[in-house]
Amino acid sequence: MKWTEISIATTHEATEAVANIFHDLGASGVVIEDPELINSYRRSGTWDYCELPEQEDVETVVVKAYLPVDEELEEKLRCFERRVNELAQHNLDKGRGTIAYKEIQEEDWATSWKEYFHPVKIGERIVIKPSWESYQPLPEELVIELDPGMAFGTGTHHTTMLCCRALEEVVIPGQVIFDVGTGSGILAVAAAKLGAATVRAVDLDSVAVRVAKENVVMNHVEDCVEVREGDLLTGFSGQADVVVANIIADVIIRLLPDIPGRLREGGAFIGSGIISERLPDVTAVLREQGLSVEKVMEEGGWVAIIARKGGA
């Protein structure tokens, strides 16, 4: 399958709005190249070795997303350009606003990951292992075997790691879990391996749905995990013990009015994909919906929230 990589040089303040535009166009995830973050990692000593030089232009952020080359692509590209130009109407500075397009093959993208993607422990118990590598787990570890494909979820991003740690805290064996915006299916598989009886996962991107289904089968949890294509909680029935959504702040805010009706009393909502600056916006809407914020976790400028229905 062929894909188009769309990249835009923009500002910090417009980054989330651009990511939201990409999401609305059907991209299941974005790549954010933030020079301030790169410099922060270089200075922290987290990386043993880094070929990337110190970034001089820290005001320009590059945001990328990938859309399939199909009959809808041309209209989506026009829509993207139009909505980026409309950011000024919302008092957002798009900055340079330079948009570039590049066609790539799915096979090329998937192969390039293999050089950099290795087993990594992302929680107290959960380990992500690429399908092409071997790994000997410790007795307490839960291994998720993963082939990220084009859904852009390897489990190593701060938001996914935070969600996995939150799932480790709240999931009780036998529960029902809803995973909204499943991507590669990492969180759905993690919930199943933590003992959930039923996991219903959804994503707007048909490619993400296909990849998630493949990863569910690869991890032998297809007896309890169902993956479908859909927008947020549309099409879901019944209530869950836990709803997890690793998306972005604006989409979570749009989702939250539906959460109380989809959570059992005492159930937990886990929201991530939220930059630190947007935490007050999300917590305000959580409280408006009668959900009590139980815990906030932060890492690398991103936060995850655990909230409860009927909590103290």
Side-chain angles (χ1 to χ4, degrees):
M1 179 180 288
K2 292 183 178 180
W3 294 79
T4 293
E5 177 188 89
I6 308 142
S7 64
I8 178 171
T10 188
T11 62
H12 289 278
E13 68 176 88
T15 296
E16 188 166 356
V18 170
N20 194 30
I21 295 170
F22 277 135
H23 180 272
D24 289 345
L25 293 177
S28 63
V30 298
V31 177
I32 299 174
E33 298 178 356
D34 184 341
E36 286 188 347
L37 190 58
I38 292 172
N39 287 347
S40 174
Y41 271 115
R42 281 178 53 84
R43 296 163 186 163
S44 69
T46 302
W47 290 336
D48 294 329
Y49 175 72
C50 178
E51 293 182 346
L52 295 174
E54 184 81 8
Q55 304 296 295
E56 296 181 1
D57 179 8
V58 296
E59 300 303 320
T60 301
V61 180
V62 176
V63 185
K64 299 178 180 178
Y66 297 80
L67 295 174
V69 177
D70 57 21
E71 65 278 1
E72 299 178 0
L73 178 62
E74 189 174 338
E75 176 56 31
K76 287 181 178 180
L77 296 181
R78 284 197 296 266
C79 179
F80 178 72
E81 292 188 18
R82 183 181 71 251
R83 291 187 59 181
V84 167
N85 289 330
E86 290 172 353
L87 291 176
Q89 299 175 17
H90 304 282
N91 297 316
L92 288 174
D93 178 14
K94 70 176 182 179
R96 195 186 306 165
T98 308
I99 301 173
Y101 308 103
K102 181 172 68 174
E103 189 173 287
I104 59 173
Q105 293 282 350
E106 179 171 351
E107 293 79 8
D108 296 337
W109 183 92
T111 300
S112 68
W113 270 105
K114 295 186 178 182
E115 184 178 350
Y116 305 101
F117 183 26
H118 304 289
V120 59
K121 192 169 186 178
I122 64 171
E124 291 296 319
R125 302 172 62 197
I126 296 172
V127 175
I128 301 292
K129 182 188 84 67
S131 58
W132 55 88
E133 291 209 3
S134 58
Y135 179 77
Q136 185 59 46
L138 298 174
E140 73 276 8
E141 290 180 339
L142 301 173
V143 177
I144 297 176
E145 194 160 289
L146 185 67
D147 185 350
M150 286 296 297
F152 307 106
T154 62
T156 57
H157 191 273
H158 296 301
T159 61
T160 310
M161 291 193 287
L162 289 169
C163 278
C164 280
R165 293 167 192 164
L167 286 171
E168 288 178 332
E169 289 193 26
V170 304
V171 172
I172 298 171
Q175 288 184 325
V176 174
I177 315 295
F178 292 169
D179 177 16
V180 182
T182 192
S184 295
I186 296 170
L187 300 181
V189 173
K193 288 185 175 279
L194 287 166
T198 301
V199 183
R200 296 175 187 166
V202 67
D203 202 287
L204 188 62
D205 188 330
S206 61
V207 176
V209 170
R210 172 176 61 80
V211 172
K213 287 181 176 179
E214 291 170 355
N215 287 324
V216 165
V217 172
M218 187 183 303
N219 286 277
H220 311 292
V221 292
E222 63 269 29
D223 58 332
C224 65
V225 179
E226 174 194 0
V227 184
R228 66 173 70 172
E229 185 176 344
D231 187 13
L232 302 180
L233 285 170
T234 302
F236 277 78
S237 60
Q239 292 182 312
D241 298 288
V242 179
V243 176
V244 57
N246 182 19
I247 318 177
I248 59 174
D250 284 337
V251 180
I252 288 174
I253 288 170
R254 198 165 79 222
L255 169 69
L256 283 176
D258 294 329
I259 293 300
R262 291 293 180 220
L263 268 184
R264 293 173 180 166
E265 193 67 20
F269 172 75
I270 300 170
S272 190
I274 306 163
I275 58 174
S276 301
E277 291 82 359
R278 298 300 306 279
L279 176 62
D281 301 332
V282 177
T283 54
V285 180
L286 280 166
R287 295 188 176 101
E288 287 174 7
Q289 299 302 322
L291 299 169
S292 300
V293 177
E294 185 173 278
K295 187 174 184 177
V296 174
M297 300 178 287
E298 183 170 359
E299 186 173 296
W302 298 88
V303 297
I305 304 169
I306 301 175
R308 291 275 179 185
K309 178 181 177 179

